[in-house]
Structure formats: C-alpha cells, structure tokens
Amino acid sequence: MPPKPAELTSLSMAPLLVPVRYPVTDGFDIAVPAAASSVRQARRVARAWCRYCRLPADLIDSVLLIVSEMCANAILHGGSDSIGVRAWLPSFGVLRIEVADYTPSQPPTVQPPSADSENGRGLFLVDAVAAEAGGSWGFTADGTRAWCTLPLPTKASDQQPAAPEPDHRSPARAPQASAPVPASFYAHP
C-alpha cells in the first residue's frame, strides 16, 4: 500500500470532531525591560494569546487591565532591569497570570486611593476586576511575583468570543477560505 500524502495524515490539520472552546496551550512566558514602554509589549502578547485561546472579549479586557497594572507596579516598585510576564491555563476552567520583578520585598497591601491622587490605583483596580470576575490575586511570600487567577466562563450564554483582528495584509496575501468539511467525513463506517 503506498503511503498517503502528508497533508492527508497530519493531525495538526485534522478538523476537530468536538468543538473545543479553550484549546490546551502552553501559555506565554516573556521577559521585558523594566521600562514603561514594556507595558504595551506585555499587553500585545497577552492579547494575542487570549485571542489564540478564543477567550471571550470581556475576559480579554480583564486580562489586559490586570497585565497592565501588575506590570506597571513591577516596573515602578521593582529593582530589577527586567520583569517577567506569563499566563497559562493551569487547570480546566482557570486562567493564571503572573508578573515577576525578581526583587524580594514586603508584599504591598491595597489602599483605596484618595479622590485627588493621580496614581496609586493599580492594585485597587486589580482587586476590583479579580473580585468581579470571581477570581483571586496576591503576591508570593517573598514579594517577587504578583499573581491573579480568573475563572473561565462555562455556560454558552457567558461566552462572547473576541472579534477577529482586522487583516491588514494586501488582498493578494490574505488567507483564502478553506472548503467546508463534507458531512461524510464524520460518518462512522
């Protein structure tokens, strides 16, 4: 029997028989310079990963706010030249975010900001967003790493997938739509 062409046997190209809402991924783990411009870079990576995981738009917004505030806090209060940012799905139904500044310190406590202060709201926002989503957050005992866990929506009514990113490529380079999989493909012999 002659071998089948690779495109017919590749598991990565096989259609899913059961739709998967949150595919298993390794997450992301990046190190960025401890500079204000790195917050934007961390947000872009987090957004791309969240979209790859097909997370709902409102959860993506929460993740991006948490990443921004934790990164800003690590840059402002950490003493390292770089910070680490990572996120992954450690167990079914949970998303975890961590930001490390690698500087041991006493973990901060959330203080409600005064009405006229121009800063100091970052951890207050993280606390509010995590609580609203039913998640939790905190710091490691040595203060080097801030973390946040958020539950993933489980009901179909809770899920609103993020809108696709606009395709800025020229029409000649834009991806072509694939042909639908025939129903006979799913038929059992």
Side-chain angles (χ1 to χ4, degrees):
M1 173 185 271
K4 293 181 181 177
E7 66 270 3
L8 297 178
T9 59
S10 174
L11 289 177
S12 64
M13 299 300 291
L16 296 172
L17 298 178
V18 176
V20 176
R21 179 71 182 153
Y22 305 110
V24 177
T25 64
D26 291 333
F28 72 88
D29 190 358
I30 61 170
V32 294
S37 60
S38 297
V39 175
R40 181 177 182 207
Q41 182 179 1
R43 281 177 57 92
R44 291 178 76 188
V45 171
R47 179 183 295 116
W49 179 75
C50 287
R51 287 180 180 274
Y52 173 78
C53 291
R54 300 183 202 123
L55 299 179
D58 57 338
L59 183 59
I60 293 175
D61 291 343
S62 296
V63 168
L64 297 180
L65 180 89
I66 290 167
V67 166
S68 295
E69 296 303 334
M70 286 184 168
C71 285
N73 192 65
I75 291 166
L76 185 62
H77 300 292
S80 180
D81 292 339
S82 66
I83 61 170
V85 184
R86 66 182 182 163
W88 71 101
L89 305 173
S91 63
F92 183 76
V94 177
L95 180 144
R96 184 169 175 104
I97 304 163
E98 290 185 0
V99 176
D101 65 13
Y102 312 112
T103 308
S105 62
Q106 180 67 29
T109 57
V110 176
Q111 301 291 329
S114 64
D116 59 345
S117 67
E118 294 183 16
N119 54 18
R121 290 177 171 78
L123 296 180
F124 187 73
L125 287 172
V126 169
D127 184 56
V129 169
E132 181 180 319
S136 59
W137 74 281
F139 287 87
T140 56
D142 63 359
T144 61
R145 192 174 302 268
W147 58 268
C148 182
T149 58
L150 298 173
L152 299 175
T154 55
K155 292 188 287 186
S157 61
D158 292 343
Q159 302 174 4
Q160 294 178 327
E165 288 284 333
D167 192 347
H168 299 292
R169 296 177 283 188
S170 67
R173 295 181 49 108
Q176 302 299 316
S178 60
V181 177
S184 61
F185 180 84
Y186 297 106
H188 295 284

